């Protein structure tokens, strides 16, 4: 299970929801969804710091256009929700599981 990572900014204790990576050769900063694993040359940022990021004059910022989650999803929770959802589909209960977006889907084979 992945532990929740904190923002890399000094003094910030918020949960990280984005990853910042610098492409020095192209003078570009890239801000996207939180990477699944911490990378040594990238920085985890909370939503506030990800949205307020500024770069030196002459640099570009490439930002993920989707909405970043307020708190990163726990992979084990996402797996448990997918299993519950699959169980409901097998037993004919179409009621969706309450919560955020689904990260895992059950794919039926062509024989089903």
């Amino acid at each position: 299970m992945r532990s929740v990572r904190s923002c890399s900014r000094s003094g910030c204790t918020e949960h990280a929801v984005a990853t910042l990576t610098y492409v020095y050769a192209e003078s570009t900063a890239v801000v996207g969804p939180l990477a699944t694993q911490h990378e040594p040359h990238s920085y985890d940022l909370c939503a506030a710091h990800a949205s307020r990021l500024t770069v030196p004059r002459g640099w570009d910022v490439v930002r993920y256009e989707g909405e970043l989650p307020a708190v990163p999803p726990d992979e084990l929770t996402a797996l448990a929700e997918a299993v519950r959802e699959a169980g409901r589909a097998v037993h004919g209960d179409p009621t969706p599981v309450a919560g955020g977006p689904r990260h895992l889907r059950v794919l039926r084979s062509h024989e089903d």
Side-chain angles (χ1 to χ4, degrees):
M1 182 167 90
R2 179 182 70 189
S3 62
V4 177
R5 299 191 317 246
S6 296
C7 183
S8 297
R9 294 293 302 257
S10 179
C12 185
T13 59
E14 295 296 316
H15 294 297
V17 296
T19 296
L20 166 65
T21 307
Y22 291 108
V23 183
Y24 293 101
E26 297 179 20
S27 300
T28 302
V30 180
V31 179
L34 187 64
T36 55
Q37 294 181 347
H38 178 71
E39 298 294 329
H41 299 290
S42 63
Y43 303 90
D44 296 337
L45 298 176
C46 66
H49 285 121
S51 66
R52 294 190 319 236
L53 176 77
T54 59
V55 295
R57 207 172 275 164
W59 280 58
D60 293 317
V61 177
V62 176
R63 292 182 192 275
Y64 175 70
E65 291 186 12
E67 189 172 324
L68 297 171
V71 176
D74 183 322
E75 293 169 8
L76 188 57
T77 301
L79 179 60
E81 287 179 3
V83 169
R84 274 190 227 111
E85 196 171 314
R88 284 191 172 102
V90 168
H91 298 296
D93 182 3
T95 308
V97 178
R102 304 293 174 250
H103 301 284
L104 302 173
R105 297 281 183 226
V106 175
L107 300 177
R108 304 278 181 215
S109 68
H110 293 292
E111 293 91 35
D112 287 350

